[in-house]
Amino acid sequence: MDELPLDQVRTLLAVVDEGTFDAAAAALHVTPSAVSQRVKALEQRTGRVLLMRTKPVRATESGEVVVRFARQLARLERDARAELGMADDSGPVRLPIAVNADSLATWFLPALTRLPQDPPVCIELHREDESHTTALLREGQVMAAVTSSPDPVAGCSVRMLGRARYLPTASPAFAARYLTGTPERDLREAPTIVFDRKDDLQDAFVRSLTGDASAGAGPVRHHVPTSEGFRDAVVAGLGWGLVPEQQAGPLVRTGELVLLVPRRPLDVPLYWQQWKLDSPALSTVADVVAAAAAEALRSPAA
């Protein structure tokens, strides 16, 4: 493939970020016609359709490759300017990161407080299920992600963070009402708390108990899309659910929650994936996150 003209690459990124050709034109201080011409020229050069002309505009699979390249290029350019001591009036370093809600609610935010403040770094968090955060990496929306996938996205490196442990719990009153037989049977019928429609943890736990690949949690499902709200819904007795160990442990000790299957937690391996860039800011964040994860999560071999 011929080289990619940088002005066309940056224009494509502006269209994706701004959502429309007109907004991209305003951001780039050019006319909408110029933006359209650059994008068409880039599509002709690559031989691919790069944008879906929707509202807002979205990158195609091929466009995501170019968008990711554009973001990496911008990151490298900024780091090079900083190392050369050249003035940069674009503001603090911005690092978009994808992370799952349970990590946000337990160990991830305290990790960010360890970041050095000079030079300042602005963290832009994207909340997504740990099994889906790699999609944001692939699309070029984030530079790093906490994910349950050990398979690296193209152009990314992977390191193991540890295992997030979840405990199957319910309120004592809920357990007394719905869980009177065996867990293998009762958990397939009792009301369940799930985070959202992507949440497969409860189903995975039932499958691990029954050994039945087609098994799942009960059909009555309450969707509670925050980590704290999920915990509170289980405590309130709306259903049973898998609560992070850091949240569930104190409540089990006080009797507000009971373990449904003692000594049968569900462990989810977590990994850190990031772009393969020689970026000091990104490397610093990665080291801080890895150190905090080592303290908060179960070790890989535990």
Side-chain angles (χ1 to χ4, degrees):
M1 184 174 64
D2 293 336
E3 66 179 38
L4 301 177
L6 297 187
D7 63 330
Q8 296 176 7
V9 169
R10 291 184 176 117
T11 298
L12 183 77
L13 177 60
V15 173
V16 171
D17 283 347
E18 299 298 330
T20 68
F21 282 72
D22 288 345
L28 296 172
H29 305 291
V30 297
T31 65
S33 176
V35 169
S36 179
Q37 290 173 10
R38 290 178 188 178
V39 171
K40 288 180 180 178
L42 186 58
E43 289 180 324
Q44 291 173 352
R45 183 175 290 271
T46 60
R48 308 285 181 88
V49 176
L50 302 177
L51 292 178
M52 290 183 282
R53 271 67 170 178
T54 55
K55 288 187 178 182
V57 170
R58 293 179 56 198
T60 63
E61 185 174 346
S62 296
E64 289 171 359
V65 175
V66 180
V67 167
R68 187 166 64 245
F69 167 67
R71 294 197 196 282
Q72 293 172 341
L73 182 66
R75 177 75 269 151
L76 288 172
E77 181 179 9
R78 179 162 186 160
D79 288 343
R81 290 175 63 87
E83 289 186 32
L84 292 170
M86 299 173 65
D88 189 346
D89 58 1
S90 58
V93 174
R94 185 182 69 88
L95 294 181
I97 299 171
V99 60
N100 61 305
D102 289 334
S103 292
L104 274 176
T106 52
W107 64 272
F108 194 84
L109 287 180
L112 298 182
T113 65
R114 305 181 185 183
L115 286 174
Q117 298 302 306
D118 188 22
V121 176
C122 291
I123 304 297
E124 181 182 298
L125 295 178
H126 297 246
R127 191 192 68 186
E128 183 56 273
D129 183 86
E130 65 271 11
S131 61
H132 293 83
T133 49
T134 51
L136 300 183
L137 273 173
R138 195 172 296 109
E139 295 166 3
Q141 294 188 41
V142 299
M143 298 174 65
V146 175
T147 174
S148 60
S149 173
D151 302 319
V153 171
C156 291
S157 61
V158 181
R159 74 163 84 174
M160 180 74 174
L161 293 176
R163 293 181 298 114
R165 174 158 291 184
Y166 290 81
L167 304 180
T169 59
S171 71
F174 180 92
R177 178 179 180 183
Y178 291 101
L179 308 174
T180 58
T182 64
E184 293 84 351
R185 185 201 70 187
D186 292 345
L187 295 184
R188 299 178 70 164
E189 301 173 359
T192 309
I193 308 297
V194 295
F195 189 85
D196 57 22
R197 285 174 174 78
K198 298 177 183 177
D199 182 5
D200 185 51
L201 280 185
Q202 283 65 224
D203 293 320
F205 182 73
V206 171
R207 289 194 294 269
S208 73
L209 284 181
T210 63
D212 182 354
S214 64
V220 177
R221 301 182 178 215
H222 303 294
H223 295 77
V224 185
T226 70
S227 184
E228 297 85 351
F230 184 105
R231 174 203 60 203
D232 293 345
V234 175
V235 171
L238 288 177
W240 75 275
L242 286 147
V243 178
E245 182 178 38
Q246 296 97 323
Q247 295 176 330
L251 298 172
V252 170
R253 288 191 288 272
T254 61
E256 294 175 81
L257 290 178
V258 294
L259 292 176
L260 304 183
V261 190
R263 296 179 294 279
R264 281 296 298 267
L266 180 69
D267 287 349
V268 177
L270 294 180
Y271 302 85
W272 176 259
Q273 291 208 35
Q274 69 176 61
W275 289 353
K276 291 180 180 178
L277 289 181
D278 186 16
S279 169
L282 186 56
S283 296
T284 298
V285 172
D287 290 341
V288 164
V289 168
E295 298 172 7
L297 302 177
R298 296 271 177 165
S299 68

